[in-house]
Amino acid sequence: MSSQTYPVRVEASLDEPLSRWLWLVKWLLVIPHYFVLAFLWLAFLVLTVVAFVAILFTGRYPRTVFEFNVGVLRWTWRVGYYAYSSLGTDHYPPFTLAERADYPAHLEIAYPEHLSRGLVLVKWWLLAIPHYLVVALFVGGGWYVGRDVVRNEPVLWQGGLIGILVLVAAVVLLFTGRYPRGIFDLVLGLNRWVVRVAAYAGLMTDDYPPFRLDPGGTEPPGPVLAVGQASPGGSDTAAPPAAEKPAEGPVEGPAEGPAGKSPAPPADHWGAGRIFGAVISSLLLLVALGLLLSGAGVRIADSVARGSDGYITSSPMRFSSAGYAATSQSVTVGLGSWPDLPGGWLGNIRVTANAHSSEPLFLGIAPTAAARRYLAGVAHTTVLGSQSGRQDLVRRFHGGGAPATAPAGARIWAVSASGPGQRSLTWQPRSGSWTLVVMNASGSTPVASDVTVGAQLPVLGDLSVGLLVAGAVLALIGGAVLAAVLTRRRTTTPPPVS
C-alpha cells in the first residue's frame, strides 16, 4: 500500500448553493433514515460476529457479509453528510446500500482477499483503543470540564469537534448563504478518520488506520484497483472513486482485466427483501442470545442461591416496634382464576424469626383484611422495605393501645408458630392478600426479632428450561433465515443475442 493510500475511500463534493435554512429541520427529515439505520446496525453487529468467526477459521471475510456491512457504512455516511456530520448537501439520501454515482457522498472499501486470523482477536478492541480516544474527541464522548459549584456536581461536555465545526458552518451559511470551504475540508478529514476507524473495527481491513488528517473532499491519489483485487504486494488498495467505478448493470459475460487477470466477481445485490431478511434474522438471533443468557443466568442463580434444604432464603430483616406488633406490607398472591398456580410456582414458603429477648415470640400469616381488623387501634409498626440509597428498612408506626387478645387467641391465622428463641413456620401460598405479623406471644411490648423468608421456587427450574428452549428455537430459526439470506446467489442476465 502506498504511503498516501488506504483501502477505505471516503469522498464527497460540496453542493453549492446550499439552502440557508434547511439545516434547521434536517433533524426531522432524517428520522426515517435513523429508524432504518437502527435496524441495519443491529444486523451489522450480528454479521460482524459472523465475519469474526469466518476470519478466525478461514482467514477470509465472507463477501456477501462484506458487501452488506460496507453498504451500512455507506448509508450511514450519506445520511451524516446530509445531516449534522457535514451538512454538505441538500439532496435527500437514497434508501439503498448500493453506491450511487449521482449522490455527492461516496464510500468504497477494497475487499480483502486475506485477513490475519490472529489479528482479528485484538484489533477491534485493543489495537483500536488509541483511535477510539481520538474519535471520541471528534464525535463527542462526555469529557470532564469542571464542577458545578452550586450543585457540587461534575460538568461534562458532550459535544465533539465535528459537531462544533458543523454548527459554525451552519451559522455562517444562515447569514451568508455560503459554506466555508476551509471548514468543509476539515470536517471531511475528520469524518474520513472516523469512517476508517469504523471499517478497521468492523474487521474489514488489517491495515491500521493512519494517524493522519486527510482534509478535503477527495482522497489522496494512489494506485486504483477494482474492489476485491489484490495489489501486487498482496495488500489491498483503495477502491476506485464513484466516478471511476463501472456502472452497475447485468453481467454480460466474462471479461479480462488488467494484465490478463479476471476481475473480481460482482458484488451481491442487496435488495429490500434480502435486507429485510438480514434484519429480521439478526433480531431473532439477538433475542435468542438474550433468552439463552437469561436461561443460563436463572439456572446459575438457582444453583448458587438455593440451600441444601431446597429453599432460596432472603437476608435477615429487622422486625421491631415500640408498639405491640411488627407487620409486613400486604402481599398479593395469585392469578385470579388459577388459585392453585402460586403454590406450583412458589412452592412452600418458610418464615423464620429469631427473638432478641427471652420473651416467647409469635409469628403468623393472616389475610390482610383480617390482620387489619385485629390490629385496628393497636400500636404497631409496618415494615415497608428498603428505600433507594438506604440499607436499613423503612418503617411506619401506627399509634394505639394494646391488643384486646393475645395473638394466639385470634382465629385469623392461616399458619402460625410461637415459643422462645427461634421460631419457624411453613406455609403453602394461596391466592389472596396476606400479611406477616410478628408479636410477643403474651401480646406485650416492645417487639424485636430478625426475620428471614425462604421459598422453594420450583418455577425457576421450569423457567430456565423454557428460556433455554425458546432461545435455542429462535437461534435455529434466525440462523436458518440468515443462512438463506447470505447464500442466495445473484442471478445474472444472459448476454443479448446479436
Side-chain angles (χ1 to χ4, degrees), residues 38-283:
F39 290 99
L40 291 178
W41 273 97
L42 285 177
F44 181 96
L45 294 175
V46 172
L47 292 179
T48 300
V49 174
V50 173
F52 173 90
V53 176
I55 296 169
L56 187 61
F57 287 97
T58 69
R60 294 179 63 87
Y61 201 120
R63 182 177 289 274
T64 304
V65 175
F66 185 84
E67 295 297 335
F68 179 88
N69 284 354
V70 171
V72 174
L73 289 178
R74 181 183 293 124
W75 192 326
T76 304
W77 165 232
R78 282 195 296 243
V79 173
Y81 187 70
Y82 172 80
Y84 301 104
S85 290
S86 294
L87 293 177
T89 182
D90 289 340
H91 293 283
Y92 198 70
F95 285 83
T96 178
L97 299 176
E99 172 63 25
R100 288 283 295 270
D102 60 343
Y103 197 77
H106 309 282
L107 170 62
E108 294 289 351
I109 303 177
Y111 177 74
E113 293 295 344
H114 301 284
L115 291 169
S116 169
R117 299 184 187 186
L119 202 58
V120 75
L121 296 171
V122 294
K123 67 181 181 181
W124 54 274
W125 65 277
L126 179 61
L127 300 183
I129 287 176
H131 276 289
Y132 290 157
L133 298 176
V134 175
V135 167
L137 178 63
F138 291 169
V139 301
W143 298 87
Y144 175 79
V145 295
R147 177 168 290 275
D148 188 329
V149 295
V150 176
R151 294 182 295 178
N152 194 31
E153 296 177 351
V155 177
L156 299 179
W157 169 54
Q158 298 292 340
L161 182 57
I162 292 176
I164 293 174
L165 291 172
V166 171
L167 177 60
V168 172
V171 173
V172 174
L173 177 64
L174 181 65
F175 286 97
T176 68
R178 295 184 62 84
Y179 195 118
R181 174 61 67 170
I183 293 182
F184 174 80
D185 290 342
L186 181 55
V187 166
L188 259 293
L190 297 175
N191 278 291
R192 183 172 289 119
W193 193 318
V194 173
V195 175
R196 287 172 176 173
V197 174
Y200 181 76
L203 313 179
M204 297 178 181
T205 179
D206 282 343
D207 294 316
Y208 197 70
F211 283 92
R212 182 182 71 237
L213 186 65
D214 293 323
T218 59
E219 290 273 9
V224 176
L225 297 179
V227 176
Q229 285 188 303
S231 65
S235 299
D236 296 301
T237 62
E244 300 175 358
K245 183 180 178 181
E248 294 184 1
V251 178
E252 302 205 358
E256 292 298 317
K261 294 182 180 179
S262 297
D268 286 326
H269 175 65
W270 280 92
R274 293 189 74 189
I275 294 174
F276 182 77
V279 170
I280 292 299
S281 61
S282 298
L283 287 174

Side-chain angles (χ1 to χ4, degrees), residues 12 170 245 457 481:
K245 183 180 178 181
L457 294 177
V481 174

Side-chain angles (χ1 to χ4, degrees), residues 4 6 83 109-110 120 133-134 140 143 156 240-241 274 277 286 331 335 341 348 383 413 426 438 445 467 489 497:
Q4 293 297 315
Y6 191 71
I109 303 177
V120 75
L133 298 176
V134 175
W143 298 87
L156 299 179
R274 293 189 74 189
L286 289 174
V331 177
L335 291 175
L341 198 58
N348 290 334
V383 178
W413 311 109
T426 302
V438 179
T445 184
L467 290 172
R489 300 201 176 270
V497 179

Side-chain angles (χ1 to χ4, degrees), residues 221-371:
V224 176
L225 297 179
V227 176
Q229 285 188 303
S231 65
S235 299
D236 296 301
T237 62
E244 300 175 358
K245 183 180 178 181
E248 294 184 1
V251 178
E252 302 205 358
E256 292 298 317
K261 294 182 180 179
S262 297
D268 286 326
H269 175 65
W270 280 92
R274 293 189 74 189
I275 294 174
F276 182 77
V279 170
I280 292 299
S281 61
S282 298
L283 287 174
L284 289 175
L285 290 172
L286 289 174
V287 173
L289 178 62
L291 292 174
L292 292 172
L293 291 177
S294 299
V298 170
R299 174 69 69 178
I300 293 172
D302 182 36
S303 61
V304 170
R306 191 177 298 278
S308 58
D309 56 1
Y311 283 85
I312 298 176
T313 305
S314 70
S315 300
M317 297 172 287
R318 176 67 58 86
F319 271 58
S320 61
S321 175
Y324 297 88
T327 74
S328 69
Q329 297 185 86
S330 174
V331 177
T332 301
V333 179
L335 291 175
S337 57
W338 292 286
D340 296 330
L341 198 58
W345 280 2
L346 300 176
N348 290 334
I349 302 295
R350 185 180 64 191
V351 180
T352 302
N354 286 297
H356 286 192
S357 67
S358 58
E359 180 77 19
L361 195 66
F362 175 91
L363 64 155
I365 296 176
T368 297

